[in-house]
Amino acid sequence: MLLHWNKYAQRLGEKGFKIMESLLLINDPKLNGTVITLELPNEGSKLDFESQINGLLGHLKGHLHNHDITIEVIVNETVETKRNLNDQDRYNRLLEINPNIELLRSTFGLDLPG
């Protein structure tokens, strides 16, 4: 299940749906029978996620050959993301998205705080 979840998130990211991709990857969903539970950090992210849930459900049901799957979203304001990024990690991610960031950094002589 997790493999198909992550593949779907990656495909969304490649299509430019970065917010939904990050919501899917914010932490690992838990599977209990046919119920997938995902914890999100706030109501806003829950609303964003639920507005796009049908595509994910269709993908999972088809690839897992199980049409009884449901997704339950729990808002947990204290949820910690599984990725604690430092400045270098953030910079590397931005560089992946747009290689011109390096040109900007070198042109203006910018350094990463650290």
Side-chain angles (χ1 to χ4, degrees):
M1 180 277 300
L2 193 54
L3 174 70
H4 291 292
W5 182 280
N6 289 334
K7 278 186 179 180
Y8 187 78
Q10 181 182 4
R11 202 168 64 185
L12 284 177
E14 290 167 359
K15 291 181 179 178
F17 298 102
K18 298 292 185 186
I19 292 173
M20 187 63 179
E21 177 190 24
S22 67
L23 291 176
L24 287 168
L25 299 176
I26 201 164
N27 63 42
D28 289 338
K30 311 242 181 321
L31 180 62
N32 185 5
T34 59
V35 178
I36 300 169
T37 305
L38 178 67
E39 284 190 12
L40 293 175
N42 56 51
E43 280 295 324
S45 58
K46 178 181 178 181
L47 292 173
D48 286 343
F49 179 82
E50 288 178 341
S51 72
Q52 302 293 319
I53 203 168
N54 288 333
L56 173 62
L57 267 174
H59 176 82
L60 292 174
K61 287 178 180 182
H63 283 82
L64 299 175
H65 307 289
N66 186 338
H67 292 278
D68 296 328
I69 293 174
T70 58
I71 298 176
E72 177 182 308
V73 179
I74 296 172
V75 174
N76 181 352
E77 302 271 342
T78 61
V79 71
E80 292 182 29
T81 60
K82 68 178 178 182
R83 295 187 176 104
N84 291 327
L85 302 177
N86 62 29
D87 291 333
Q88 185 65 49
D89 293 332
R90 287 187 194 100
Y91 176 76
N92 291 342
R93 179 66 183 126
L94 288 173
L95 192 58
E96 282 176 31
I97 295 169
N98 187 345
N100 290 327
I101 295 287
E102 178 58 29
L103 176 64
L104 182 71
R105 189 193 66 75
S106 62
T107 300
F108 291 103
L110 302 174
D111 287 326
L112 292 174

